[in-house]
Amino acid sequence: MPVETNPLVSSPADASERVWRYMDFAKFISLVSRQELYFCNLELLAKNDPHEGLLSLPNYRHREWSSIADLTPEEHKSVFYKAMSGEEERIQFESQRNSREYWLRRRFYDRRTLLMNCWHLNKYESAAMWTQYGIGGQGIAITSNYAKIVNAFANAKERIFVGLVKYLDWNTEPVDNSFVLPFSKRASFAYENELRLAFWDLNVQEKVKALCAKLSAHIMDHLYRRITTPINWALIEAEVPKVAYMPGIYIPV
């Protein structure tokens, strides 16, 4: 099926702009012999960057909301879509605070459902990329462009998303959490200038989703005061790591 884009994720302005993939010699041989690209699980990529797939510090702001009085004027507008009071106001405030915390944690749980294939967008070859991937002089670089990569997946059975990574000041710029796939990274990685292909393993996602349904039901019970004890945010923490996931997947090109 065709590679998919999303309006929240940028694509190269010029589809013929050059992209590079740096790799060791063994991975090059694998690519040529298998005629497949390898997508690596985000959980493994997170071993090098623990922030992979997660949200930036401003997305944690709701943890400072102990009452409505803690909201800034801008936050008040985003939380309340109309004037409210009493129980309606309480439910809206707590619902918004709980929802933000839920999706913050959900991003962490969903990492094991996502697999990435990464390219470097650059007119010229990169000394930094050679240093990182051409260890011991055994590196290989192949070049292509955005249009060719998209066309290479025209007959793929898998659903694949593509876009440019957005590099953020992780202390001040929030990640747009309306699109679950990870196309945001810390500004310290801006030299990568990354074009990212993402595959979402829906089989693993269903298992994670089932666990999260338990947490969601627990949150709703608390919101409507069917339970009076604090929300147990660690309710499924021990179960999520038990969900098996693929370290990687090969997709024909």
Side-chain angles (χ1 to χ4, degrees):
M1 61 180 66
V3 171
E4 298 182 40
T5 57
N6 185 283
L8 297 176
V9 180
S10 299
S11 299
D14 180 2
S16 65
E17 188 169 355
R18 199 174 195 183
V19 296
W20 303 68
R21 184 160 170 80
Y22 294 81
M23 64 192 80
D24 61 36
F25 188 69
K27 290 179 180 176
F28 173 69
I29 293 299
S30 172
L31 171 62
V32 173
S33 61
R34 298 178 66 115
Q35 298 185 45
E36 296 173 321
L37 275 179
Y38 183 74
F39 284 63
C40 183
N41 196 287
L42 206 61
E43 282 284 86
L44 300 184
L45 294 179
K47 294 184 184 300
N48 292 324
D49 176 15
H51 296 277
E52 266 285 9
L54 304 185
L55 302 179
S56 57
L57 289 179
N59 293 92
Y60 289 73
R61 163 66 185 153
H62 64 277
R63 291 186 173 181
E64 300 175 28
W65 299 349
S66 58
S67 70
I68 295 173
D70 294 324
L71 300 175
T72 65
E74 293 76 16
E75 290 170 343
H76 197 282
K77 289 180 182 178
S78 69
V79 169
F80 296 103
Y81 58 91
K82 67 175 183 177
M84 299 180 186
S85 62
E87 185 67 359
E88 183 184 28
E89 184 181 51
R90 179 196 71 81
I91 290 175
Q92 178 64 12
F93 171 69
E94 291 191 14
S95 175
Q96 285 289 309
R97 183 176 59 182
N98 294 345
S99 176
R100 295 178 191 214
E101 180 65 22
Y102 172 85
W103 286 107
L104 183 73
R105 292 169 179 268
R106 183 68 183 267
R107 290 290 288 237
F108 180 73
Y109 303 150
D110 278 337
R111 283 206 305 202
R112 64 192 53 235
T113 74
L114 298 163
L115 299 99
M116 304 291 129
N117 181 268
C118 310
W119 295 73
H120 173 67
L121 190 74
N122 202 332
K123 183 177 180 180
Y124 308 102
E125 62 181 304
S126 166
M129 292 291 105
W130 279 123
T131 299
Q132 186 169 348
Y133 296 102
I135 299 172
Q138 298 299 309
I140 293 286
I142 61 173
T143 69
S144 185
N145 61 47
Y146 176 77
K148 287 182 178 180
I149 290 175
V150 169
N151 289 338
F153 289 94
N155 297 320
K157 295 181 293 183
E158 295 81 3
R159 188 181 182 190
I160 299 167
F161 294 86
V162 64
L164 296 172
V165 170
K166 185 177 182 180
Y167 298 94
L168 305 175
D169 181 330
W170 220 245
N171 294 318
T172 63
E173 295 182 271
V175 173
D176 187 338
N177 201 27
S178 56
F179 187 50
V180 70
L181 297 182
F183 286 91
S184 298
K185 295 182 75 171
R186 290 177 292 162
S188 56
F189 288 92
Y191 70 93
E192 293 179 347
N193 202 19
E194 185 179 334
L195 175 71
R196 177 166 276 194
L197 295 158
F199 168 68
W200 200 357
D201 189 337
L202 296 182
N203 292 324
V204 178
Q205 170 66 13
E206 284 302 312
K207 298 173 184 176
V208 172
K209 185 178 178 180
L211 289 176
C212 289
K214 296 181 184 178
L215 180 59
S216 180
H218 173 67
I219 294 169
M220 295 303 292
D221 281 341
H222 180 275
L223 180 64
Y224 291 101
R225 294 182 169 172
R226 289 187 284 268
I227 57 173
T228 56
T229 54
I231 295 174
N232 178 14
W233 287 107
L235 184 68
I236 61 173
E237 290 289 334
E239 296 181 70
V240 172
K242 297 177 184 177
V243 175
Y245 62 88
M246 295 186 296
I249 183 175
Y250 287 94
I251 297 180
V253 288

